[in-house]
Amino acid sequence: MSVALDVIIAFIAFIVAVILLSGIKVVNEWERLPVLILGRFAGLKGPGIVYVPPIIGKVPMRISTRLQAIAFRTEQSLTKDNVPVIVDAVMYYQPVDLEKVVLKVEDYNVATRLAAETTLREVIGQTMLDELLAERDKVAALARNIIDSKTEAWGVKVTSVEIRNVEIPPDLVQAMSRQAQAERERRARVTLAQAEYEAAQKMVEAANLYINNDRAFMLRWMNMIYELGMEGKNMLVFIPVNLPVAGPASPIGMMGVRELISSAQGTPQESQGASQERKQ
């Protein structure tokens, strides 16, 4: 009987030791353990090795003090100009008041995510589609301020909200694509017209310079002929039509011919005297 009693005592001691040792917990550097003693909040413990009295003590959760990120997606919402959109976003938040995190909200992760979804839908309803597409940072900052004001009572600090994607109906995407293409064509035509206008101005200025300077115009004309010959691969034959007139056909040559004729024939009186002499 003494042996059986010793076994029973050893078994009971083992059970007690296991129960007592079950209260030892290891807490990471970035974690905290809220402890409840007989249902009352007894404070936060950690990091390192902590002891929670078994049976009377309870740890409802482990709280991470690191920055946390959560991706959420809103249901189809209407913008201010009645366009249905679906927004995909990311939120970064961090517990800062751990006592409020334990006592003021059941699950701060779920509560923060739901608050972010509903708030983003409210912001979308107050924003035009063009503003939502072009100014995502502004819309995200507005949503972050509203979400942070809601989660402040829970001890959660929202540091940033970023919009990753905005989904719009396919037919609206095609209409926006056509609009963008028309806008690009308009800009191209305006740019071409502006270039034509500036080129015409420069041509007028060049023409005014060439009016009173024939030599400059001639040099420019010769340069254009040279460039035309350099661009082509075949032989270019150019026949000038404005060469200076030379030889007997020129005015100076005609004057020389008249002088020779007059000197050969002489004056009318001289010619009559010569004929009388020949008759005699």
Side-chain angles (χ1 to χ4, degrees), residues 131-144:
E131 185 179 0
L132 181 61
L133 296 175
E135 301 180 2
R136 296 187 181 184
D137 294 340
K138 181 179 178 181
V139 176
L142 179 60
R144 189 206 70 81

Side-chain angles (χ1 to χ4, degrees), residues 19-20 29-30 32 53-54 61 70 74-75 78-80 85 92 114 163 168 192 199 201 244 252 279-280:
I19 294 174
L20 294 176
E29 182 66 30
W30 60 87
R32 299 295 183 271
M61 67 177 71
I70 182 173
T74 63
E75 298 296 332
L78 293 178
T79 60
K80 191 175 181 179
V85 296
Y92 299 89
L114 295 177
I163 297 177
I168 57 179
L192 180 61
Q201 284 185 330
I252 298 176
K279 290 180 181 181
Q280 294 177 357

